[in-house]
Amino acid sequence: MTIAFQSYTADTAPEASKPLLAGVKSQFGFVPNLQSIMAESPELLAAHGALWAEFSKTTLSQHEQQIVFMTAIYENDCHYCMAGHTTMAKMQKLGDDVIQALRSGNAIADAKFEALHRFTTLVVRDRGFVADADVQAFLDAGYTRRNVLEVVLGVSIKIQSNYTNHLVGTPYDAFMVGNEWTKPGTMRAAA
């Protein structure tokens, strides 16, 4: 990345971002690099936090939410978010086999999780133009019409963060050490 973007703290951020970063710090104990850079746009920072909060209230379990996130991250090729969500998924005790499948783009052994993984992949790759048969397969796996739309919410959160990371070259945070990632088959060096 040749155009540098500033990382802000709750003290140095634009006025409208200061309380948002203070909230992030109280939630996580620190301000992740992504949010410190998003603070340049208080609107983006606020929208990202609001959508994240809403997604956490969906009927998808924590593990299912991570599957949506990590699938979108894989498809969007985001080194920063994959490292962060790998760390979070481990903290949430998502199975290592599931985490490794998501990081490698492979199928998940658990049939219901794999249905979610496959459906989310199609939503991202096809930009929402998912065939009726594929939507029905997702429903047949035990998911609901509400879950269809919840996947859209999860994907939209990752569009915000993944695209921001691509544009600004967000560096890894210390908590991500050991979970760095480069999409299999790519030559791009992770930041």
Side-chain angles (χ1 to χ4, degrees):
M1 174 81 351
T2 57
I3 299 172
F5 283 79
Q6 184 172 342
S7 292
Y8 292 97
T9 66
D11 295 327
T12 64
E15 204 57 42
S17 289
K18 287 180 178 183
L20 300 169
L21 287 182
V24 168
K25 186 173 182 178
S26 72
Q27 179 182 5
F28 294 110
F30 69 103
V31 176
N33 290 332
L34 173 64
Q35 284 83 350
S36 73
I37 294 170
M38 280 184 166
E40 182 77 33
S41 168
E43 299 79 11
L44 175 60
L45 182 60
H48 185 69
L51 289 179
W52 187 287
E54 291 304 312
F55 190 60
S56 72
K57 299 176 195 173
T58 64
T59 61
L60 296 170
S61 70
Q62 276 191 336
H63 288 171
E64 289 169 325
Q65 289 173 24
Q66 284 300 337
I67 290 168
V68 171
F69 281 152
M70 292 177 75
T71 300
I73 291 163
Y74 179 88
E75 292 301 319
N76 290 330
D77 191 6
C78 185
H79 76 282
Y80 178 88
C81 283
M82 186 62 84
H85 281 274
T86 297
T87 303
M88 286 187 275
K90 288 177 178 180
M91 291 170 56
Q92 294 172 348
K93 304 207 182 318
L94 181 60
D96 190 56
D97 59 323
V98 175
I99 293 170
Q100 292 312 313
L102 293 165
R103 286 175 58 96
S104 64
N106 292 327
I108 299 170
D110 179 281
K112 189 168 184 189
F113 281 176
E114 176 54 24
L116 177 60
H117 178 225
R118 183 176 185 283
F119 179 72
T120 305
T121 298
L122 294 172
V123 168
V124 176
R125 284 185 187 170
D126 299 338
R127 296 180 305 279
F129 292 103
V130 179
D132 286 349
D134 292 315
V135 175
Q136 189 60 55
F138 181 62
L139 297 173
D140 291 346
Y143 288 100
T144 66
R145 286 175 172 78
R146 179 175 178 172
N147 296 145
V148 168
L149 301 177
E150 290 171 342
V151 167
V152 173
L153 176 57
V155 168
S156 70
I157 296 164
K158 288 296 106 190
I159 288 172
Q160 285 180 335
S161 59
N162 297 168
Y163 289 14
T164 297
N165 291 324
H166 296 332
L167 288 165
V168 305
T170 311
Y172 289 116
D173 288 294
F175 80 92
M176 300 173 178
V177 171
N179 292 319
E180 297 86 354
W181 181 80
T182 299
K183 189 173 184 177
T186 63
M187 298 292 281
R188 176 186 54 77

